Amino acid sequence: MGLTDGFPADFASTDADDLATYGRDWTKVYAPAPSLLVRPRTTGEVSEFLKRCHATRTAVVPSGGRTGLAGGAVAKDREVVLSLERMRAMSSVDTLALTLRVEAGAVTEAVHQHAAKSGLTWPVDFASKGSSQVGGNIATNAGGVRVIRYGLTRQWVLGLEVVLATGEVLELNGALEKNNTGVDLRQLFIGSEGILGVITQATLKLCRLPEKTDVFLFSVPTLQHVLELFEAARQGPFTVSAFEFFTDRCLARLMRHRKVKAPFDAGSPFYVLLEVEAASAPLEPWLQALFETARVTDGTQAQNAEQARALWAYREGISESLSATGLPHKNDIALPVSGLKTFCAELETLLAGRYPGWELCLFGHIGDGNLHVNIMKPDALDQAAFLQATHAVDADLMALVRAHRGSVSAEHGIGLLKREWLGYTRSPAEIALMRQLKVIFDPHGILNPGKVL
Amino acid sequence: MKILVTAKRVEDPESKIKVDAAGKGIVKDGLKYKINPFDEIAVEEALRLAAKHPGDVVAVSIGGKEVHEQLRHALAMGATKAVWVNHEGPLDQMGVARLLQKIVEKEKPDLVILGKQSIDDDQNQVGQYLAEWLGWGQATFASKADSLDSENEKNKVPGVIVGDGAKTVDVIREVDGGLNRLRLTLPAVVTTDLRLNQPRYASLPGIMKAKSKPLEEQTAQGLGVDVAPKITVTKLSMPPARKAGIKVPDVATLVTKLKTEAKVV
């Protein structure tokens, strides 16, 4: 029996455009070369198809919204791309348990809109929410802009339906909040980047939408002041729900790409977007102190929901704008928050020394220790020379991250791109255990081969 | 020179607007609000003019206490004083213009700038009534000669040009196929179009100062205005839902359908 015999006519495609589109994610550096695209509509189809792939030792790349930045969804070696995009059904919201059962292909923003009708939300939120899918979010334990307030995707998944490489279907944890009955296998699949199984459904945990938030954008003179502003925000009379920063170079590319005006008359080297919930006291004294201590040089507070969206767009449009206006080499690193100040000082020295005159675009979620270090390809350099140059500097950067006990990949995952740096954050013993787990779940190694390990 | 501007409270267009059960109004629950975007442009223009021709910028809004939000927004942008006409209940365009007329007579501004319309009712009448009843010249739909990407816009050059000695104001209006430039003797009424300027974000120091700026309360009764509406809304309905599109398998089918069903070729 062939791989696709007996499936509906539109189950599989070998159309060249389809293969080129579905063979890559937002990581631009790999040329897509899948052999086949399949788009199942049911868990039964996923199971039957994987069973055949297992029997024939056919490599499979599980695929969601393909917004990843580490090549986790790239098919460059004749693999079959298994896209979950047709499985996007959502149950009605359980307003008593605050849960929602969805299929893996449901788009993150659609989940938000669905839950919002009941005054609830799934607080996994990031710039690519309009394309990213729940299955991919879970498989990459996605982070985003509200981690500082709500934590990672892992905290908001109650149950999973997973299909193993053999075709076996597992239902893990159902919709239980509490279930202390042995090893929690569900957690193994969250963040596994598709190497242990294919997530087909999930029971999501929801929370109430915040009543009222205030959104601020600040001009800040230096990176050290950004960190001081964060310290001040931690002590402010409110709950911080987002603390994001970006540099003037990010803003310049965003203004070019999105054709928007500058937020302030005068430019500034750094900008901070602060969102706070439930201020318990008037904010004026706190704001006054920011200006008096010169931590900020200018700022604004959104006067209505539309301005709040416009201020958020300055931050959320950056990743897209960098890719649209050039070729960024991306690093997504995380540090213990308490060590950020010393790390950032050393990082600035390192980058200035190793990339003299290059365009560095720094931004990120700094409040949870996460920095996105983007190096833009100079026009004069060809792509191969650029990748070679950045690779050399990555070794120094990752060594600095290791010395500060940070992570070589905060929220983008390991995928193809960060594989050689895995050992900078995880010990040999840990990696050996991961390999053993991989063999148990996927004995023939058909799921996302070459990724992570 | 002294300038008076309006700051109407309107529904945020991103809110989900639904017609209420009676079919004469909208469901207010869960709606977000903002300053009418045309009025926001009026405030911005007034502030730019005030930077060149110093004087007060007075923002006016009519409604319940909730319009303080929009008045504070105008004050945070830089207006110097707010006037709140405390009024609950229905108002038509003439009622609004009568109230504004009284405020203008008290405040005696050299120039009134207001949005050409508000984005909730889209009437486009208040500026015209106001100018007529004041007996002042009016220039509607003020635009900028330069584009909104121009250096002039970046440098916050006003699009409305006040002449030497603040005796006249020149207003550029977009008309079919060109520009129409009017010169009005002050005092005058100007209404703003979208391409006049890009409003600023209120600065944090401005937002903090706004809390202590004067906000004066007036009422229709106190102003001696009868605001009983002469116009009432008898029916409000949603636009018809769009039909779902269809997919065609090939170009030939598309052409056939364009001919036989859409009848456009």
Side-chain angles (χ1 to χ4, degrees):
Chain A
M1 194 192 291
L3 272 183
T4 59
D5 289 353
F7 285 103
D10 64 351
F11 177 75
S13 167
T14 49
D15 176 78
D17 285 347
D18 279 349
L19 295 183
T21 306
Y22 287 84
R24 75 180 343 182
D25 57 15
W26 283 6
T27 323
K28 281 186 182 173
V29 292
Y30 304 103
S35 58
L36 185 70
L37 164 69
V38 299
R39 283 178 287 179
R41 287 192 169 82
T42 63
T43 301
E45 287 184 0
V46 176
S47 167
E48 175 60 28
F49 184 72
L50 285 180
K51 200 183 288 175
R52 294 185 199 178
C53 292
H54 179 69
T56 53
R57 313 279 203 270
T58 306
V60 176
V61 176
S63 181
R66 303 187 312 285
T67 57
L69 296 165
V74 166
K76 64 177 180 62
D77 296 313
R78 311 281 305 151
E79 303 94 327
V80 177
V81 174
L82 190 161
S83 168
L84 279 303
E85 71 177 13
R86 284 176 176 162
M87 295 177 58
R88 51 173 187 248
M90 295 186 267
S91 75
S92 54
V93 172
D94 183 333
T95 52
L96 184 62
L98 307 189
T99 60
L100 173 62
R101 180 81 171 177
V102 300
E103 289 186 320
V107 170
T108 315
E109 197 164 41
V111 171
H112 290 168
Q113 288 164 354
H114 187 56
K117 287 183 217 146
S118 309
L120 300 170
T121 193
W122 189 49
V124 171
D125 192 6
F126 37 78
S128 57
K129 63 188 164 212
S131 308
S132 77
Q133 297 170 9
V134 168
N137 296 346
I138 296 172
T140 57
N141 188 23
V145 292
R146 294 212 162 72
V147 172
I148 188 172
R149 171 77 175 85
Y150 294 103
L152 294 161
T153 300
R154 188 182 296 286
Q155 272 89 342
W156 298 93
V157 177
L158 286 182
L160 285 182
E161 180 190 75
V162 177
V163 183
L164 297 183
T166 55
E168 186 171 350
V169 180
L170 298 179
E171 176 62 47
L172 303 170
N173 202 56
L176 293 173
E177 178 76 62
K178 291 186 161 182
N179 181 15
N180 279 353
T181 53
V183 176
D184 187 351
L185 296 173
R186 158 191 57 158
Q187 297 296 348
L188 286 178
F189 292 92
I190 304 176
S192 66
E193 297 187 55
I195 66 169
L196 299 183
V198 176
I199 295 161
T200 45
Q201 287 193 25
T203 303
L204 307 179
K205 182 172 158 176
L206 307 176
C207 65
R208 292 178 70 157
L209 282 163
E211 295 257 310
K212 180 181 177 295
T213 55
D214 283 305
V215 179
F216 298 88
L217 186 70
F218 298 103
S219 290
V220 185
T222 70
L223 191 51
Q224 293 299 315
H225 285 88
V226 170
L227 296 168
E228 282 175 25
L229 178 56
F230 178 59
E231 284 173 18
R234 273 293 196 216
Q235 288 154 20
F238 43 68
T239 305
V240 175
S241 63
F243 189 95
E244 301 281 317
F245 91 108
F246 53 91
T247 61
D248 51 350
R249 283 170 162 170
C250 295
L251 178 65
R253 284 192 180 258
L254 177 121
M255 286 166 58
R256 231 163 81 199
H257 174 58
R258 292 231 171 143
K259 310 221 173 340
V260 292
K261 62 169 181 155
F264 305 112
D265 289 347
S268 164
F270 294 87
Y271 297 90
V272 165
L273 184 138
L274 170 69
E275 186 185 89
V276 306
E277 278 175 30
S280 60
L283 292 170
E284 283 70 34
W286 182 80
L287 291 167
Q288 197 81 49
L290 295 184
F291 282 92
E292 279 162 9
T293 53
R295 288 193 180 109
V296 306
T297 51
D298 203 349
T300 186
Q301 177 182 6
Q303 297 295 298
N304 48 51
E306 187 194 29
Q307 284 197 353
R309 284 192 297 274
L311 294 183
W312 262 113
Y314 284 117
R315 165 61 188 84
E316 295 210 305
I318 290 173
S319 196
E320 169 199 312
S321 301
L322 297 188
S323 298
T325 57
L327 180 70
H329 169 67
K330 290 173 171 290
N331 279 295
D332 166 43
I333 55 179
L335 283 303
V337 175
S338 57
L340 269 176
K341 263 189 174 173
T342 18
F343 175 83
C344 285
E346 289 175 40
L347 174 74
E348 286 191 306
T349 315
L350 170 80
L351 296 178
R354 294 299 304 266
Y355 292 113
W358 289 39
E359 185 180 346
L360 302 169
C361 292
L362 274 180
F363 66 99
H365 317 294
I366 212 154
D368 54 41
N370 187 183
L371 301 177
H372 296 307
V373 182
N374 285 256
I375 296 126
M376 302 304 296
K377 185 180 88 64
D379 291 337
L381 215 57
D382 70 31
Q383 187 168 331
F386 172 66
L387 293 177
Q388 204 178 357
T390 51
H391 189 260
V393 185
D394 279 355
D396 290 352
L397 177 62
M398 296 311 177
L400 186 64
V401 169
R402 176 164 60 184
H404 286 265
R405 296 180 180 278
S407 169
V408 296
S409 191
E411 58 177 10
H412 292 177
I414 293 295
L416 284 171
L417 200 61
K418 303 294 175 190
R419 225 160 60 119
E420 66 184 293
W421 311 117
L422 181 60
Y424 280 59
T425 300
R426 308 297 292 267
S427 72
E430 282 181 293
I431 295 171
L433 280 169
M434 288 190 220
R435 286 188 200 285
Q436 288 173 35
L437 280 172
K438 167 76 177 167
V439 175
I440 292 170
F441 283 96
D442 178 16
H444 295 163
I446 62 163
L447 287 175
N448 233 1
K451 313 287 167 58
V452 186
L453 294 170
Chain B
M1 63 187 286
K2 183 171 181 177
I3 306 172
L4 188 130
V5 294
T6 48
K8 186 179 178 182
R9 177 179 173 88
V10 296
E11 291 78 21
D12 182 332
E14 297 254 336
S15 295
K16 196 98 184 142
I17 308 282
K18 283 189 220 135
V19 175
D20 65 17
K24 293 184 179 178
I26 60 169
V27 181
K28 305 269 183 186
D29 281 356
L31 289 185
K32 294 197 161 93
Y33 290 86
K34 58 185 281 193
I35 187 170
N36 174 33
F38 291 98
D39 285 347
E40 194 179 0
I41 290 168
V43 176
E44 174 66 33
E45 196 64 16
L47 294 174
R48 292 181 186 191
L49 285 170
K52 294 184 88 167
H53 310 275
D56 278 339
V57 173
V58 180
V60 186
S61 195
I62 306 169
K65 193 153 192 219
E66 60 279 2
V67 305
H68 285 205
E69 250 174 63
Q70 283 63 44
L71 287 171
R72 292 287 175 210
H73 184 172
L75 292 172
M77 286 174 74
T80 42
K81 173 184 161 181
V83 176
W84 166 40
V85 182
N86 185 354
H87 177 82
E88 305 272 0
L91 267 181
D92 63 12
Q93 301 78 46
M94 284 173 275
V96 172
R98 287 284 179 213
L99 290 170
L100 289 178
Q101 183 192 354
K102 290 292 172 188
I103 302 290
V104 168
E105 284 165 8
K106 285 172 78 86
E107 293 288 332
K108 300 184 175 56
D110 303 288
L111 181 63
V112 176
I113 310 180
L114 63 174
K116 71 168 184 178
Q117 66 196 65
S118 55
I119 60 164
D120 48 3
D121 296 327
D122 279 342
Q123 290 289 341
N124 179 1
Q125 300 181 25
V126 170
Q128 291 89 327
Y129 276 123
L130 179 63
E132 171 66 19
W133 291 336
L134 287 167
W136 293 5
Q138 61 174 297
T140 52
F141 314 159
S143 273
K144 201 190 205 70
D146 316 285
S147 88
L148 292 180
D149 299 321
S150 64
E151 279 304 303
N152 274 346
E153 175 58 26
K154 256 181 221 146
N155 297 325
K156 299 205 185 301
V157 174
V160 169
I161 300 140
V162 171
D164 290 339
K167 296 273 192 288
T168 60
V169 61
D170 282 17
V171 177
I172 291 151
R173 312 173 67 236
E174 251 180 64
V175 292
D176 280 350
L179 296 176
N180 173 1
R181 185 168 176 141
L182 301 179
R183 178 161 297 168
L184 282 70
T185 305
L186 289 173
V189 173
V190 171
T191 74
T192 61
D193 214 329
L194 282 181
R195 274 178 299 278
L196 180 59
N197 62 48
Q198 282 187 303
R200 70 194 65 189
Y201 287 112
S203 77
L204 276 176
I207 292 166
M208 289 185 276
K209 263 188 234 145
K211 310 265 157 139
S212 53
K213 284 181 180 171
L215 194 152
E216 181 186 305
E217 181 179 346
Q218 297 283 353
T219 60
Q221 205 179 12
L223 293 166
V225 178
D226 173 13
V227 290
K230 294 185 175 61
I231 302 173
T232 49
V233 176
T234 55
K235 187 168 188 289
L236 203 62
S237 52
M238 298 298 283
R242 274 184 59 189
K243 272 209 217 148
I246 55 160
K247 277 188 180 173
V248 291
D250 50 46
V251 175
T253 322
L254 175 67
V255 172
T256 314
K257 287 203 180 284
L258 288 175
K259 277 185 184 156
T260 58
E261 287 180 30
K263 297 194 168 76
V264 290
V265 289

